[in-house]
């Protein structure tokens, strides 16, 4: 018997090799390649987008000096005399985003703390899915909501406010990103081990003190990520601002004025009959590039912050 | 030794599960009391009623009376937070906060309103000294509490509990996650602390109870079978079930 076994192993023929299996070897060869191809799709798409943006942007800057673009305070792309100073659009975008964050961050964080630290299991099980549904509401609906409900309330309080104003759109964008901040922060807080909470409770900490001094610091990197993701989302939000914030690129810091954001400008130009290759056409790529650079820097900042303040547990 | 903690006809239910059945027990002041018994016998449950950590488990119901220095700790007039300041706790797994060693100890005092840097420094030093950890960490108090060994972390947790100046220290199998040398250090520490604190410890390890405690309580299926001076309970138990357990016939 021992002799026979030896001879089977010695055989070099694959079909009779007891440690060879066609299913296993094919899967091991094919799957990594297949999965790699899928992964590379998004990488190539990103590269493609950046190249398109860059080439059109470069064309645009051949005609408009980059200095005028970055520091000009007047934007009138569609009306003569044409001027391409990005500052009004930038100010509009930042105003909407700031209002949104001012609305969403406290409410989102407070509800996350409630859900993770106070709410009984039953409440959490009902509220969380509802929040996630809220995150799936199409943004055009929020736009209608801004015009038909928020704007009249604002006009009631501040009669000087226009039909289109930054405040209304900003609040709607804020409401839109609340679920995102709440849901992601709640995930981060729930992931903080119970033993840490127990340690603090055992020292005589109240629920609120545990939430604020133990859970929030331990979940800080997750909370920052959620806030930055929401910030980027607000920065890129298009539909609500196109509907409710107007289309007047003015450099103003009054939230009751009508403004225009970078995204809303791109929509406005894309929908019009602008000739391919014209200066207006190039301008939407330059504006898009600016937006891209902003979100990119923001993400880097977020990574830095969340790494810098991470509390490992 | 005078009685500090007293349970009278104490019953505890987790929803439908009757976890503690008619517990009657006294725990002496400034001594070490050990709770022993097989898993699920209710010893940790009773420990956690002493600082009301069970309150956080939904569906917990308590009947009967549990007094500390004569005050019923489940009465309406008691703040749970103030109770927990007086009744410190150390857990099975070391659970230092993800902060520096210094901030771990200072956490409790800060919580209770101490802001002066000098006072905090003082508390950190005395607490770490009481927990026999000062010499090992005094040169790197700013280092993360997670960078020290498991045994050191557990002593840090003891120091953290001592920093709010409790009367009672509860230890819930505080050595079961540690190696023998760290365990020994903590046992020695318990011996040192018992002059100043009332210590109640849950342990899986009968020999540990025999080594460090003055009084031992034997639990079985949610009941207190017997409690007595440790020496007496281990050498001459009154109940047959205690005898069976300590001689290793079950559990």
């Amino acid at each position: 018997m021992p002799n026979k076994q030896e001879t089977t192993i010695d055989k070099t023929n694959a079909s009779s090799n007891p440690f060879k299996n066609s299913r296993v070897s094919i899967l091991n060869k094919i799957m990594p390649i297949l999965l790699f191809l899928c992964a590379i799709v998004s990488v190539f798409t990103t590269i493609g987008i950046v190249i398109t943006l860059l080439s059109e942007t470069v064309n645009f800057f051949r005609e408009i000096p980059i200095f005028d673009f970055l520091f000009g305070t007047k934007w009138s792309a569609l009306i003569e005399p044409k001027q391409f100073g990005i500052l009004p659009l930038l100010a509009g975008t930042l105003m909407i985003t700031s209002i949104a964050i001012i609305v969403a961050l406290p409410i989102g964080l407070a509800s996350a703390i409630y859900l993770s630290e106070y709410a009984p299991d039953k409440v959490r099980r009902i509220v969380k899915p509802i929040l996630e549904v809220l995150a799936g509401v199409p943004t055009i609906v929020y736009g209608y909501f801004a015009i038909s409900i928020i704007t009249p309330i604002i006009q009631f309080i501040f009669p000087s406010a226009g039909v289109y104003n930054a405040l209304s759109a900003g609040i709607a964008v804020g409401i839109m990103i609340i679920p995102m901040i709440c849901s992601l922060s709640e995930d981060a807080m729930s992931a903080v081990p119970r033993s840490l909470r127990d340690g603090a409770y055992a020292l005589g900490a109240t629920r609120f003190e545990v939430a604020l001094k133990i859970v929030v610091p331990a979940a800080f990197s997750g909370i920052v990520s959620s806030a930055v993701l929401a910030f980027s989302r607000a920065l890129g939000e298009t539909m609500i601002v196109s509907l409710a914030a107007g289309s007047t690129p003015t450099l103003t810091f009054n939230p009751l004025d009508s403004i225009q954001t970078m995204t809303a400008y791109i929509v406005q130009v894309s929908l019009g009959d602008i000739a391919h290759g014209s200066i207006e056409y190039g301008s939407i790529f330059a504006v898009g590039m600016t937006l891209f650079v902003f979100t990119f820097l923001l993400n880097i900042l977020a990574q830095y912050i969340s790494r810098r303040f991470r509390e490992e547990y | 030794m005078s009685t500090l903690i007293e349970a009278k006809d104490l019953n505890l239910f987790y929803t439908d599960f009757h976890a503690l059945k008619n517990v009657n027990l006294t725990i002496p002041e400034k001594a070490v009391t050990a709770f022993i018994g097989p898993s699920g016998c209710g010893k940790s449950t009773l420990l956690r009623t002493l600082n009301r950590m069970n309150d956080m488990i939904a569906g917990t119901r308590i009947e009967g009376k549990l007094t500390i220095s004569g005050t019923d700790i489940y009465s309406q007039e008691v703040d749970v937070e103030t109770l927990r300041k007086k009744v410190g706790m150390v857990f099975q797994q070391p659970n230092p906060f993800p902060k520096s060693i210094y901030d771990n100890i200072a956490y409790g005092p800060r919580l209770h309103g101490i802001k002066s840097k000098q006072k905090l420094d003082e508390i950190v030093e005395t607490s770490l000294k009481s927990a026999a950890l000062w010499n090992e960490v005094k040169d790197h108090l700013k280092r993360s509490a997670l960078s020290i060994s498991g045994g050191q972390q557990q002593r840090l947790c003891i120091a953290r509990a001592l920093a709010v100046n409790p009367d009672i220290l509860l230890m819930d199998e505080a050595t079961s996650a540690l190696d023998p040398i760290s365990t020994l250090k903590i046992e020695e520490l318990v011996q040192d602390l018992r002059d100043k604190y009332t210590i109640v410890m849950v342990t899986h390890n009968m020999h540990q109870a025999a080594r460090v405690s003055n009084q031992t309580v034997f639990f079985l299926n949610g009941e207190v079978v017997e409690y007595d001076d440790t020496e007496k309970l281990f050498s001459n138990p009154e109940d047959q079930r205690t005898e069976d357990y300590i001689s290793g016939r079950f559990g």
Side-chain angles (χ1 to χ4, degrees):
Chain A
M1 278 306 268
N3 264 342
K4 200 181 174 191
Q5 252 177 4
E6 260 170 46
T7 49
T8 5
I9 291 170
D10 277 349
K11 270 190 187 167
T12 44
N13 191 340
S15 62
S16 62
N17 182 343
F19 303 117
K20 192 84 188 151
N21 174 321
S22 60
R23 176 187 61 88
V24 171
S25 55
I26 288 175
L27 277 182
N28 279 342
K29 265 181 204 134
I30 300 284
M31 282 325 277
I33 298 172
L34 218 62
L35 296 174
F36 174 76
L37 286 177
C38 291
I40 215 140
V41 167
S42 63
V43 174
F44 273 130
T45 322
T46 313
I47 294 173
I49 290 174
V50 173
I51 289 175
T52 325
L53 267 180
L54 263 177
S55 64
E56 293 289 347
T57 307
V58 167
N59 283 340
F60 175 78
F61 284 129
R62 285 212 184 99
E63 296 181 44
I64 307 293
I66 195 160
F67 186 87
D68 291 0
F69 178 78
L70 287 180
F71 300 101
T73 56
K74 263 192 106 51
W75 184 273
S76 81
L78 306 176
I79 305 159
E80 297 289 346
K82 290 187 177 170
Q83 278 180 293
F84 295 94
I86 189 85
L87 287 182
L89 293 182
L90 200 63
T93 303
L94 289 181
M95 180 141 65
I96 296 283
T97 314
S98 312
I99 294 170
I101 285 292
I102 289 168
V103 169
L105 203 58
I107 298 179
L109 269 184
S111 31
I113 290 176
Y114 171 74
L115 282 181
S116 133
E117 303 304 306
Y118 286 87
D121 253 9
K122 259 189 209 156
V123 175
R124 186 183 9 236
R125 271 203 296 270
I126 296 169
V127 173
K128 258 211 116 176
I130 294 179
L131 267 174
E132 269 143 31
V133 168
L134 204 62
V137 172
T139 55
I140 185 91
V141 177
Y142 284 103
Y144 279 154
F145 176 71
I147 292 184
S148 59
I149 295 177
I150 304 177
T151 306
I153 296 174
I154 290 173
Q155 283 181 316
F156 179 74
I157 302 170
F158 305 103
S160 68
V163 177
Y164 300 113
N165 63 69
L167 185 59
S168 173
I171 292 173
V173 175
I175 293 171
M176 178 195 76
I177 59 176
I178 286 173
M180 185 182 241
I181 293 183
C182 176
S183 185
L184 293 176
S185 302
E186 202 269 335
D187 287 345
M189 291 183 201
S190 299
V192 175
R194 230 197 102 139
S195 65
L196 288 186
R197 292 186 178 84
D198 282 351
Y201 282 127
L203 291 168
T206 62
R207 254 177 212 277
F208 190 62
E209 286 162 339
V210 171
L212 224 57
K213 292 183 191 155
I214 297 295
V215 179
V216 169
F220 193 74
S221 64
I223 293 172
V224 170
S225 309
S226 84
V228 170
L229 217 60
F231 198 94
S232 309
R233 183 79 182 71
L235 211 59
E237 172 47 36
T238 311
M239 220 57 231
I240 299 174
V241 290
S242 296
L243 247 62
S247 50
T248 330
T250 27
L251 187 57
T252 172
F253 293 99
N254 181 359
L256 300 176
D257 284 348
S258 166
I259 50 108
Q260 187 167 41
T261 65
M262 297 194 261
T263 50
Y265 168 74
I266 296 174
V267 170
Q268 189 192 11
V269 173
S270 310
L271 292 180
D273 43 2
I274 296 299
H276 197 284
S278 67
I279 183 88
E280 295 89 342
Y281 177 83
S283 75
I284 65 174
F285 286 93
V287 172
M289 189 72 203
T290 315
L291 202 56
F292 176 79
V293 169
F294 252 80
T295 1
F296 185 71
L297 290 179
L298 213 62
N299 281 326
I300 290 176
L301 180 74
Q303 281 193 3
Y304 169 78
I305 291 176
S306 75
R307 223 174 275 151
R308 175 82 179 68
F309 295 100
R310 166 160 292 167
E311 281 190 345
E312 301 274 356
Y313 49 77
Chain B
M1 280 181 288
S2 59
T3 297
L4 182 67
I5 304 170
E6 186 168 10
K8 268 192 192 144
D9 299 322
L10 189 73
N11 282 284
L12 185 142
F13 303 85
Y14 290 130
T15 321
D16 293 328
F17 178 65
H18 197 172
L20 291 176
K21 298 170 188 159
N22 273 321
V23 170
N24 284 288
L25 179 70
T26 59
I27 293 173
E29 195 178 10
K30 304 217 159 105
V32 180
T33 298
F35 291 178
I36 60 167
S39 301
C41 66
K43 54 192 192 302
S44 278
T45 302
L46 182 61
L47 193 78
R48 286 166 160 267
T49 57
L50 297 177
N51 66 345
R52 294 184 52 175
M53 287 297 271
N54 283 327
D55 288 18
M56 273 175 284
I57 300 167
T60 308
R61 203 171 80 249
I62 283 191
E63 288 165 9
K65 217 171 174 188
L66 186 59
T67 60
I68 294 180
S69 328
T71 309
D72 185 347
I73 60 167
Y74 280 88
S75 82
Q76 293 285 323
E77 274 99 79
V78 170
D79 291 339
V80 189
E81 289 80 13
T82 318
L83 170 75
R84 291 190 188 134
K85 182 174 180 291
K86 287 282 151 208
V87 186
M89 188 170 203
V90 179
F91 298 83
Q92 182 170 2
Q93 290 287 338
N95 59 347
F97 302 133
K99 303 176 189 294
S100 71
I101 292 171
Y102 184 97
D103 286 338
N104 262 273
I105 312 288
Y107 180 83
R110 279 182 184 138
L111 209 60
H112 297 291
I114 295 174
K115 291 199 180 76
S116 138
K117 170 94 173 66
Q118 192 195 345
K119 191 93 199 357
L120 286 173
D121 287 350
E122 220 176 279
I123 293 174
V124 169
E125 183 170 344
T126 46
S127 307
L128 284 170
K129 277 180 176 159
S130 306
L133 190 61
W134 175 251
N135 286 331
E136 291 157 63
V137 300
K138 65 180 174 199
D139 296 324
H140 34 256
L141 294 174
K142 296 282 165 220
R143 215 182 269 177
S144 164
L146 301 174
S147 68
I148 56 180
S149 76
Q152 289 174 322
Q153 286 183 13
Q154 193 63 303
R155 276 179 284 147
L156 180 72
C157 292
I158 294 175
R160 184 176 71 186
L162 298 180
V164 295
N165 202 15
D167 300 327
I168 300 170
L169 187 62
L170 310 176
M171 303 179 82
D172 191 359
E173 294 186 34
T175 61
S176 67
L178 305 180
D179 61 274
I181 291 171
S182 304
T183 300
L184 184 68
K185 277 191 181 151
I186 292 200
E187 286 180 11
E188 283 168 2
L189 178 59
V190 169
Q191 303 284 358
D192 295 340
L193 292 174
R194 73 169 162 203
D195 298 334
K196 285 166 77 183
Y197 303 93
T198 303
I199 296 172
V200 185
M201 58 191 293
V202 164
T203 174
H204 251 114
N205 180 339
M206 266 184 289
H207 303 292
Q208 184 171 61
R211 278 194 300 265
V212 298
S213 72
N214 306 91
Q215 174 180 273
T216 299
V217 186
F218 173 56
F219 286 77
L220 192 61
N221 300 327
E223 286 174 66
V224 169
V225 174
E226 182 172 353
Y227 70 98
D228 214 327
D229 283 350
T230 300
E231 229 165 278
K232 168 131 191 316
L233 188 120
F234 278 98
S235 59
N236 192 12
E238 272 166 24
D239 197 291
Q240 185 58 41
R241 290 170 293 177
T242 317
E243 163 105 53
D244 289 349
Y245 183 71
I246 58 176
S247 56
R249 246 163 266 167
F250 75 97

